Amino acid sequence: MTLAQIGPGFGEVIGRGVGAILLYAVLGVLLMLLGFYAVDLTTPGKLNRMVRDGLPNAVVVTAAGMVSMAFIVVVAIYTSSGGLLEGLLASLIFGLVGIVAQVGGVRLLEWVTGIDIGAVLTADRIQAQAFVVSAAHLALGLVVAVAIL
């Protein structure tokens, strides 16, 4: 008699689960990269260069954008139902809509408040406006994530 016994089909369940994790992880990374490039394309200058150079405002805004994208991707994955393919497609669609909503909303906020995001991102000292833009990223990410629910 053994204390623990692995039931039939256990390997198949683990295999499907590991495969799903890997596919959702790849999709999540791709969506986050796409979100980064969407922010980069809609802001003056090269965001990746500013982050690499350690410009504090670019780092803060980019970090908030990445966390915001993660909210959207996580909730899209969490709410996906049905088969794996349906879940991946739903996550992809919700993720893409979330990217558009987030980038558009943040750019609108910058316009309404008169924030010169180019000047903020390239400043070598932290600017208060970077926190407003970062908060907008996080807030919109949460709004989109909850809308997916």
Side-chain angles (χ1 to χ4, degrees):
M1 176 178 206
T2 60
L3 293 176
Q5 195 172 34
I6 296 176
F10 177 76
E12 184 181 336
V13 170
I14 294 299
R16 273 196 320 262
V18 168
I21 289 168
L22 293 174
L23 288 171
Y24 277 114
V26 167
L27 178 62
V29 168
L30 290 175
L31 284 169
M32 291 180 70
L33 286 172
L34 185 61
F36 172 82
Y37 284 112
V39 172
D40 187 24
L41 285 172
T42 61
T43 55
K46 290 298 295 168
L47 193 55
N48 61 352
R49 180 172 289 124
M50 290 183 261
V51 169
R52 203 173 37 251
D53 291 344
L55 294 173
N57 300 304
V59 170
V60 168
V61 169
T62 300
M66 292 295 94
V67 171
S68 177
M69 286 296 144
F71 289 152
I72 295 166
V73 171
V74 165
V75 172
I77 291 169
Y78 178 76
T79 61
S80 64
S81 61
L84 179 60
L85 181 59
E86 290 172 353
L88 288 166
L89 284 173
S91 297
L92 174 64
I93 292 165
F94 289 146
L96 292 173
V97 170
I99 289 168
V100 170
Q102 180 183 1
V103 170
V106 170
R107 297 290 88 86
L108 179 63
L109 171 86
E110 291 165 358
W111 178 73
V112 167
T113 60
I115 293 174
D116 180 355
I117 192 63
V120 171
L121 293 176
T122 57
D124 58 355
R125 297 179 61 130
I126 199 75
Q127 304 285 311
Q129 297 92 330
F131 293 106
V132 172
V133 174
S134 295
H137 274 291
L138 294 172
L140 281 165
L142 286 170
V143 167
V144 171
V146 171
I148 294 170
L149 292 174

